[in-house]
Amino acid sequence: MSSLTDEEVDQLRLDLQEAVVKCSERCLYQSAKWLAELANGLRSKPKVDDEAEDSQMSDPDGIPVHEDLPTSQQLHVLYAPNKDAYEARLEAREITKYLLAKSFFDCKEFDRCSAVFIQEKFPPPIVPVSANSNRKGKGKAPANLSPSSLGISSELNPMPKLSQKSLFLTLYSKFLAGEKRRDEASEIVLGPADGPPTLNKELGGLAQKLSTWCCELAEREDGTAGSSQGWLEFLYGAILVREKNDEEARKWLLRSIGLCPFNWGAWQELASLVGSVEDLQQILPYLPDHLMTFIFRLFVSQELYQSTEKIHEELSGIEKLFPESLFFKTQRALLYHHSKEFDEAENLFADLLFADPYRLDGLDHYSNILYVMNLRPRLSFLAQSATKVDKFRPETCCVIGNYYSLKSDHEKAIAYFRRALNLDRSFLSAWTLMGHEYVEMKNTHAAIESYRRAIDINRKDYRAWYGLGQTYEVLEMHYYALFYFQRAASLKPYDPKMWQAVGSCFNKMDRPAEAVKALKRALLAGTYYDMHGNGTGTYIGNIPEGGMMNGVMDPEVLFQIALMYEKMSEWEEAAAFMELTLAQEDGRDGGVRMNAFAGDDGDDDDDEDGGGRARIAGGAGGAGVGVGVTPTTSKARMWLAKYEFMKGGLQRSLELANELCHDGVEVEEAKALVRDLRARMERGE
């Protein structure tokens, strides 16, 4: 990406500027903002020395005399008519009405905007009754009153012949009017009357109109879409997404992207349909060979928690082309967050805040990182900064909610998460974080409902699935908990916390064999980070068969595996894993071989806000450092001492028991065992 010539970069800048104008004309302001920020982050053309010296000369108004003036090509981007001659004639004919409709849209009068071009049936107005009318009929409309007598059509107006730009604005405003009425009909968030999400009642009619328009276009163009511009296909795809018609939505969104690749809104809708890496691989061959496809793949990989070395390298490459782009810096920060490299993620978000203190996008993720790192002063500063910018943004409310949660003021935290949802019911972070708070308050019913709403919005949010599993585990409904933990593990298969939760459920369901498999996957997950430096990759296929695993493993997981083998009466395996648990005190690998964990994979073992809300309180050392004496290793030592005692290995049992006496854990039981062992040894048993 960084190998583009200066001429190609200039052309890309013009294409981005043109896309910004087109999105703004159609009132797609979020896409226009994203494209404008991308164009602003594009690398600038280097100046030669002579130009740098000449730029110091200014006219009396302070404007450099050699500053580049807009070229005819740049003016063409801003003011040229549509390239399609037929569409250009329609747009010229409609310009006055289009400007009127757009002004209504900008004032958020969506129904008035849509009515400029398409008049629909509306209830007749109240007609005043004359003074000499019969009193019995007072307040009633005349018997012969009809919509036609008032000049109102009794049927929906057929689709008029409009330009695609005006038709898009008309139907899009109708769609937003339905969204507005849906929000107004919604009850208080998780209130007594709050039920399933209400529907946008305009979707059916809009889908029918757009389907008719697409069919007519296909007939007019003999089966091709040569004159289509892609915007109406995008709207049709977005409506189909909300109607849960994923296959048709994918078809029309791909068609829209092929015709108008710079429409970021279409890429976002398509990303919402990608639920796994396999889905992404299936859809890539149908995407155009375009810069936006590359950006889309990076964005979806981040959404799927694919923090691989390859993704980081590709991100570094595109950052050379867009060195000032805050979007790509945010994506890198989120990748670090997913791989639990919190220091790097926090530093990047801090740089973003310094570069643009008025930018609120992504601050909810930054507040999550500060919460996990237990950085209360920085979280307080972030909350104050966001409040000064806009206290009625969902991101601001989430930041403040996290601050109160860190102070253990859960009721205030929930109040701010509710406020975020009142502002935007589809704001994912607020639902998930509110679920965490309800878990802290032991309100399991509200927590389950919050997590379910989060999953309805984004089924790729592993934290919501994990939260549901935790909540059902509290309710001792282990079959339900297992299902949700398995869904979380499938979304983030390299996180050992997911597999530990799955193993715990299998154990409580008295299925130790399955528990051992899940816990071994958790072990591989933690080891994978040590071997590769981060939580990246797809499978551990490059580790040789029978190879040694370096680094310190989680002694708690090893101990749980040993207990599972004990439950299955496989004493030798149990003893082997107890020895492994003990070996982690000084970082010894204990001779573990990869074939013991064949077929398993996983991720990192640090604490994180993934699913739960654990905070970092210090970590174990790296490879070969060891965890020292812990309650878990002391329990393993006691188990081994008793095991050796039963086998008749009195000397080994005595050594382990004596070590326990100095650990400060299980001391009394260890002393009793020492006395018993010495007595037996004195008797010569």
Side-chain angles (χ1 to χ4, degrees):
M1 288 297 171
S2 59
S3 60
L4 294 180
T5 64
D6 291 339
E7 291 75 14
E8 291 172 330
V9 171
D10 289 340
Q11 183 59 47
L12 176 59
R13 183 178 288 105
L14 288 173
D15 292 340
L16 288 170
Q17 291 169 353
E18 183 178 7
V20 171
V21 173
K22 288 182 177 179
C23 287
S24 298
E25 288 176 343
R26 291 158 180 82
C27 298
L28 297 172
Y29 293 126
Q30 290 297 325
S31 295
K33 181 185 79 169
W34 185 87
L35 289 165
E37 289 180 345
L38 196 66
N40 190 61
L42 196 59
R43 78 167 188 247
S44 57
K45 185 176 180 180
K47 290 186 177 182
V48 298
D49 294 338
D50 293 341
E51 291 179 355
E53 293 178 2
D54 292 342
S55 64
Q56 304 300 320
M57 301 175 59
S58 303
D59 65 5
D61 294 328
I63 302 175
V65 295
H66 289 279
E67 183 172 337
D68 293 337
L69 295 175
T71 64
S72 59
Q73 190 176 12
Q74 291 171 324
L75 292 174
H76 176 80
V77 167
L78 296 174
Y79 302 110
N82 198 303
K83 296 177 182 178
D84 188 320
Y86 177 75
E87 289 291 325
R89 288 195 300 271
L90 290 176
E91 289 178 10
R93 187 184 68 182
E94 302 159 359
I95 183 63
T96 303
K97 282 192 172 184
Y98 164 77
L99 293 175
L100 176 65
K102 189 173 185 304
S103 66
F104 288 152
F105 189 102
D106 293 340
C107 294
K108 300 188 183 303
E109 299 182 42
F110 302 122
D111 285 312
R112 290 188 74 188
C113 175
S114 63
V116 170
F117 289 106
I118 299 180
Q119 288 285 345
E120 295 191 353
K121 181 174 67 175
F122 197 79
I126 298 176
V127 179
V129 182
S130 60
N132 58 357
S133 62
N134 192 341
R135 293 185 63 86
K136 291 183 179 180
K138 188 174 182 179
K140 297 181 180 179
N144 61 351
L145 185 63
S146 65
S148 57
S149 65
L150 295 171
I152 300 174
S153 174
S154 60
E155 299 179 354
L156 291 177
N157 230 359
M159 292 284 284
K161 185 177 290 186
L162 295 173
S163 66
Q164 293 182 41
K165 181 168 72 174
S166 297
L167 183 59
F168 177 89
L169 183 60
T170 299
L171 300 182
Y172 183 52
S173 61
K174 197 67 177 175
F175 167 76
L176 290 183
E179 293 286 294
K180 182 180 178 183
R181 282 190 284 272
R182 183 203 63 184
D183 292 340
E184 291 170 351
S186 301
E187 299 291 340
I188 299 173
V189 175
L190 296 187
D194 189 22
T198 54
L199 300 177
N200 183 344
K201 297 180 181 179
E202 302 291 342
L203 293 181
L206 290 172
Q208 185 178 7
K209 290 178 180 178
L210 286 165
S211 177
T212 302
W213 181 87
C214 292
C215 292
E216 290 178 354
L217 179 68
E219 292 174 2
R220 186 168 67 248
E221 297 296 332
D222 297 325
T224 65
S227 63
S228 177
Q229 300 170 358
W231 301 96
L232 288 163
E233 287 86 347
F234 155 63
L235 182 58
Y236 190 27
I239 289 171
L240 291 172
V241 168
R242 284 149 184 81
E243 291 185 334
K244 309 298 183 183
N245 191 347
D246 292 351
E247 288 300 323
E248 281 295 306
R250 188 179 291 109
K251 166 189 168 184
W252 289 104
L253 288 171
L254 286 171
R255 188 170 181 179
S256 171
I257 286 168
L259 294 167
C260 183
F262 281 108
N263 181 11
W264 179 239
W267 293 101
Q268 287 181 305
E269 294 290 345
L270 185 62
S272 69
L273 301 176
V274 180
S276 64
V277 178
E278 291 74 19
D279 290 346
L280 177 61
Q281 295 301 325
Q282 290 176 4
I283 209 171
L284 283 177
Y286 300 98
L287 297 175
D289 185 13
H290 197 274
L291 170 69
M292 294 297 292
T293 298
F294 185 81
I295 296 174
F296 169 77
R297 188 164 60 81
L298 290 177
F299 173 72
V300 174
S301 297
Q302 180 273 123
E303 291 277 300
L304 295 173
Y305 316 110
Q306 299 298 303
S307 182
T308 65
E309 190 66 30
K310 180 181 178 182
I311 294 297
H312 278 280
E313 290 176 358
E314 291 176 346
L315 194 55
S316 299
I318 201 168
E319 281 184 324
K320 294 178 182 178
L321 181 60
F322 297 94
E324 303 300 323
S325 172
L326 302 184
F327 171 78
F328 293 116
K329 290 182 172 62
T330 302
Q331 298 306 300
R332 187 181 294 279
L334 291 174
L335 287 173
Y336 282 133
H337 182 200
H338 298 329
S339 60
K340 303 175 187 177
E341 299 176 64
F342 296 112
D343 290 332
E344 289 81 357
E346 195 276 329
N347 289 334
L348 274 176
F349 271 117
D351 292 341
L352 288 168
L353 187 63
F354 179 78
D356 190 351
Y358 300 103
R359 183 177 184 266
L360 298 180
D361 298 336
L363 285 193
D364 52 316
H365 299 292
Y366 186 24
S367 68
N368 290 339
I369 294 170
L370 296 177
Y371 180 99
V372 173
M373 298 179 72
N374 203 16
L375 297 176
R376 182 170 159 182
R378 294 190 188 182
L379 187 53
S380 174
F381 171 77
L382 182 64
Q384 293 177 21
S385 301
T387 302
K388 289 179 181 178
V389 175
D390 187 352
K391 64 180 179 180
F392 294 111
R393 276 278 294 270
E395 293 88 347
T396 301
C397 296
C398 281
V399 172
I400 300 172
N402 269 333
Y403 171 73
Y404 281 116
S405 178
L406 194 56
K407 290 180 64 179
S408 298
D409 193 343
H410 302 298
E411 290 185 358
K412 275 193 175 180
I414 288 174
Y416 275 98
F417 294 140
R418 282 176 179 267
R419 181 180 294 182
L421 293 168
N422 286 331
L423 294 168
D424 183 0
R425 290 265 177 153
S426 63
F427 196 69
L428 176 65
S429 292
W431 284 115
T432 306
L433 295 173
M434 190 163 68
H436 296 336
E437 297 307 305
Y438 278 125
V439 169
E440 294 289 337
M441 297 177 67
K442 311 300 181 186
N443 188 344
T444 55
H445 175 76
I448 288 171
E449 185 61 25
S450 298
Y451 289 134
R452 288 191 186 280
R453 297 286 184 91
I455 290 169
D456 288 340
I457 295 168
N458 183 2
R459 301 185 69 82
K460 299 191 291 286
D461 184 15
Y462 78 97
R463 298 175 304 166
W465 291 106
Y466 186 85
L468 274 172
Q470 282 186 315
T471 309
Y472 279 110
E473 194 173 35
V474 170
L475 296 173
E476 298 185 357
M477 302 173 70
H478 301 301
Y479 282 95
Y480 285 90
L482 176 63
F483 171 77
Y484 293 118
F485 282 141
Q486 287 176 328
R487 290 300 300 267
S490 68
L491 287 168
K492 203 174 184 189
Y494 301 100
D495 193 332
K497 292 176 72 67
M498 307 296 112
W499 295 110
Q500 289 179 46
V502 171
S504 175
C505 273
F506 277 128
N507 179 31
K508 291 173 182 176
M509 294 163 61
D510 199 22
R511 295 163 63 179
E514 290 91 340
V516 167
K517 292 180 182 179
L519 292 171
K520 284 182 177 180
R521 294 193 73 167
L523 272 182
L524 280 180
T527 307
Y528 186 78
Y529 273 80
D530 289 335
M531 300 183 70
H532 292 74
N534 54 35
T536 62
T538 305
Y539 296 102
I540 311 178
N542 56 343
I543 301 176
E545 180 70 21
M548 301 293 293
M549 294 198 306
N550 299 319
V552 179
M553 292 178 282
D554 188 346
E556 181 62 34
V557 178
L558 292 168
F559 184 72
Q560 291 299 324
I561 294 174
L563 292 181
M564 293 302 103
Y565 278 120
E566 180 187 20
K567 185 178 287 189
M568 293 185 291
S569 299
E570 298 184 21
W571 300 102
E572 292 185 1
E573 289 291 335
F577 275 92
M578 287 297 182
E579 291 284 0
L580 273 175
T581 306
L582 214 57
Q584 305 314 305
E585 288 184 345
D586 54 7
R588 291 176 287 123
D589 55 45
V592 189
R593 293 188 174 272
M594 284 301 297
N595 55 15
F597 310 108
D600 297 325
D601 48 22
D603 194 354
D604 172 274
D605 61 353
D606 290 340
D607 289 329
E608 155 187 42
D609 65 332
R613 296 281 286 169
R615 304 187 197 111
I616 295 175
V625 176
V627 298
V629 176
T630 67
T632 300
T633 59
S634 295
K635 290 177 184 177
R637 186 174 275 109
M638 175 59 75
W639 190 96
L640 285 169
K642 292 179 179 179
Y643 176 71
E644 293 292 340
F645 180 83
M646 289 189 299
K647 284 177 57 180
L650 302 184
Q651 187 61 39
R652 169 69 171 154
S653 179
L654 182 60
E655 291 175 2
L656 292 169
N658 281 326
E659 291 174 2
L660 274 170
C661 293
H662 302 288
D663 288 349
V665 182
E666 309 283 350
V667 175
E668 295 302 324
E669 189 176 0
K671 288 181 178 179
L673 182 60
V674 168
R675 288 193 296 269
D676 193 6
L677 285 166
R678 286 177 177 171
R680 286 174 178 267
M681 294 173 73
E682 289 174 359
R683 292 196 301 268
E685 295 182 8

